[in-house]
Amino acid sequence: MSYSEETLVQTTTANYLHDELKWESIYAYNQEDYGENSLLGRENRKQIILTRYLERKLRELNPNHPDEAYQEAIRTLTDYSVSQSLPKINQEKHNLLRDGIQVSYRNEKGETVKPILNVFDFETPTNNHFLAVRELWIEGRLYLRRADLVCFVNGIPLIFMELKNIWRSLRAAYEENYLDYLETIPQLFYYNAIVVFGNGYDAKMGTIGSLFEYFQDWKRLQESDAGVVNMETLLKGVCNENNLLDLFENFILFDDSSQETVKIIARNHQYLGVNNAIEAVKNRQALAGKLGVFWHTQGSGKSYSMVFFVRKVRRKLGGNFSFVVCTDREDLDNQIYNTFAGCGLANNDCDPCRATSSNNLKQLLQERKACIFTLIQKFKQAVDPNEPYNERDDIIIISDEAHRSQYGNLALNQRNTLPNASFIGFTGTPLFQNDEITSRYFGDYVSTYDFQRAVEDNATVPLYYDARGDKLEIATNDVNERIAEKLEALEVEGDVERRIQQALKSSYGVITAEPRLDAIAQDFVRHYANGWEMGKAMFVCIDKITCVRMYEKITHYWQEEINRLQQQLNSITDQQEAVYKQRQIEWMEETIASVVVSQDQGEVQKFREWGLEEELNFHRNRINNGFELTDGKLISLETAFKDANHPFRIAIVCAMWLTGFDVPCLSTLYLDKPLKAHTLMQAIARANRVYEGKITV
């Protein structure tokens, strides 16, 4: 017996598909002839769609149309523009296969009719034709290649499998064969939904355009399973007739929220978790609207799970469902909206769906919107339970990080506005055992994917806690305490700045020491860059000289962080995490930091003594003239900082803008200056405003 790739893996895989999963199986190598009545009905090796099977299913699934209608549908599927990229063709073909192909003809009465012909029967998967073809010759423009295993559904090549001997690594399948096929026979992937690499024991699946690190295991058939990494589990989970059609119809996304459109398929835990949530929606009346808590740990693709959930509910349970996506932080609101918009489920510019105020939220809730995005703070208006905004029972409220904000007056107002809505809570952290409030509002867990399981599945990496003070290694606690005591004793009236300088006279060198400022700048960059879409930041320094010094350090370490993230991007093993990481890098690259300080007599000499005269000129010019817009006009620093859409996101100040300066989109205040009680409260107030303006990033 020959222990070849074919004997050990290909034949075994094809037999498993046939015997266990009821696929038809054909061995094509040196067996295929060509023509209408040939083995596969192909005209030649360039043809990738098996039109014989496709036409047969088009007629079965869409009866009573003339021949020209079926031929037009086939032409629409097989035609493509040579100027289009492979990802773009794949996206267009996916949409046609999922949503159907519109054709046009004149009926017997001479009327023009435009029916949509379905390619697949998603409601009854067994009505489709499943065919696995081994060793299929495919001819490209210049090269001829033989694919190990291509799986056709109704004549459409949805699955490509590259199989290796059991002692070969899956990376070899990716690097030695798959990448070559993308270049030499790209038409094989125009209609592809899933790419599988296997060696008989191990297997991974993913989508075209994915790096090898993004290909994932399929370890569980049920959420309660312990999880086993092997090829059989993947075949059962992905190639099962019901699961394959479900994955194709409801669990593939094309996200264009970053510079390039990315094709994403649900990971194992997302597929199982979302389907659990779908069952809860079906049973929402019995559950009294408490759909449950969807706990998937941080980094496991929670925002994409929301998109999968919303899309499947609207597609499978009725198109009239509306969703209110509610968060308690602007950065989360931005992140989730951008994901929905990137996947084509929302467009605030064309169809306003983001609440800009409490009154605007009321208006949106009274309309039949598909999706509404809001902060729970916008439910601040008390609502009479007898006068709700909307009494529909097909509204679902998705509360992100539900346990933080599902109680109190805001949550009560939310429920009074939509008394018949159903609630599902999405969270990345587990609920406490005594958290009865969350269970009371949302019900029990509908899906769990905890941190340990995510680590085991390589969906996230282990997290470790470091005390920030220990990490910075700047022992100034005693100095801070002495300063605080002196400031506490200062009078409210009088020359506060002079008094502060006097109080700090003996400790100024410690507070402004180079190693300390370096450590603080690095810590600021790590913290703010890690939060990225959280909003704008204000960094408060002890004086103007330190503001300029801190600017130099922050901009230096900011670029270092960008470089580090770009290197990290190359080693990420999670495709969905990579999309977010790319967004973060783009956000950081466009972010602007600027010093904002008032003028002083003699400041030039003061900065010259520190060797910062040139830097002062740069900042003074920017403070006086602002930023230049694309049309050549200038915008002041104040206007730019108050504009949530402007990339001026980091203001470095010492006194200006600390009082009487409201910036609703300011989310974080970094204090490295001792402040008096009233000044401290004024400074804190810069960041505590509820932002009800338009939020876009």
Side-chain angles (χ1 to χ4, degrees), residues 616-666:
L616 172 65
N617 292 336
F618 167 79
H619 292 297
R620 187 58 64 202
N621 179 67
R622 179 179 278 182
I623 293 168
N624 292 339
N625 299 314
F627 300 103
E628 184 174 349
L629 301 176
T630 54
D631 59 4
K633 296 181 180 179
L634 295 176
I635 180 175
S636 70
L637 266 65
E638 179 176 336
T639 301
F641 197 62
K642 289 183 177 181
D643 181 358
N645 297 314
H646 196 280
F648 174 26
R649 300 188 178 110
I650 304 172
I652 304 173
V653 306
C654 65
M656 284 186 67
W657 291 5
L658 285 188
T659 59
F661 183 72
D662 289 340
V663 185
C665 56
L666 175 65

Side-chain angles (χ1 to χ4, degrees), residues 361-379:
L361 175 61
K362 178 179 180 180
Q363 178 184 348
L364 293 175
L365 292 175
Q366 290 173 334
E367 300 174 1
R368 189 174 284 273
K369 297 282 186 180
C371 294
I372 297 172
F373 302 84
T374 183
L375 298 175
I376 195 168
Q377 290 88 337
K378 291 182 173 61
F379 284 97

Side-chain angles (χ1 to χ4, degrees), residues 94 243 309 390 457:
H94 175 86
N243 291 4
F309 172 67
N390 200 315
D457 291 352

Side-chain angles (χ1 to χ4, degrees), residues 233-344:
T233 303
L234 185 144
L235 292 176
K236 283 182 178 179
V238 174
C239 298
N240 170 280
E241 296 168 338
N242 294 295
N243 291 4
L244 175 57
L245 269 294
D246 189 20
L247 280 165
F248 181 85
E249 181 185 15
N250 302 301
F251 291 93
I252 290 177
L253 302 172
F254 293 85
D255 185 352
D256 63 3
S257 59
S258 56
Q259 292 179 345
E260 295 183 0
T261 300
V262 177
K263 184 178 183 181
I264 290 173
I265 190 168
R267 301 201 296 270
N268 192 181
H269 66 273
Q270 292 174 310
Y271 177 77
L272 297 175
V274 169
N275 277 333
N276 286 349
I278 295 296
E279 291 302 312
V281 176
K282 293 178 181 178
N283 299 321
R284 66 187 185 282
Q285 291 184 345
L287 295 171
K290 301 175 184 178
L291 303 182
V293 176
F294 192 101
W295 168 34
H296 283 198
T297 193
Q298 299 288 345
S300 58
K302 185 156 54 76
S303 295
Y304 284 115
S305 294
M306 291 182 189
V307 174
F308 291 132
F309 172 67
V310 169
R311 275 209 338 178
K312 185 165 183 179
V313 169
R314 289 185 61 82
R315 186 172 178 90
K316 306 303 289 185
L317 304 186
N320 291 326
F321 273 91
S322 294
F323 296 84
V324 180
V325 183
C326 185
T327 67
D328 62 357
R329 292 195 346 239
E330 290 172 12
D331 57 315
L332 290 175
D333 184 70
N334 286 328
Q335 175 184 308
I336 295 171
Y337 169 76
N338 288 337
T339 300
F340 272 69
C343 297

Side-chain angles (χ1 to χ4, degrees), residues 69 72-73 76 96 99-104 113-117:
E72 181 183 349
T76 300
L96 287 173
D99 300 329
I101 306 167
Q102 187 175 67
V103 298
S104 176
V113 293
K114 297 182 178 181
I116 294 177
L117 304 190

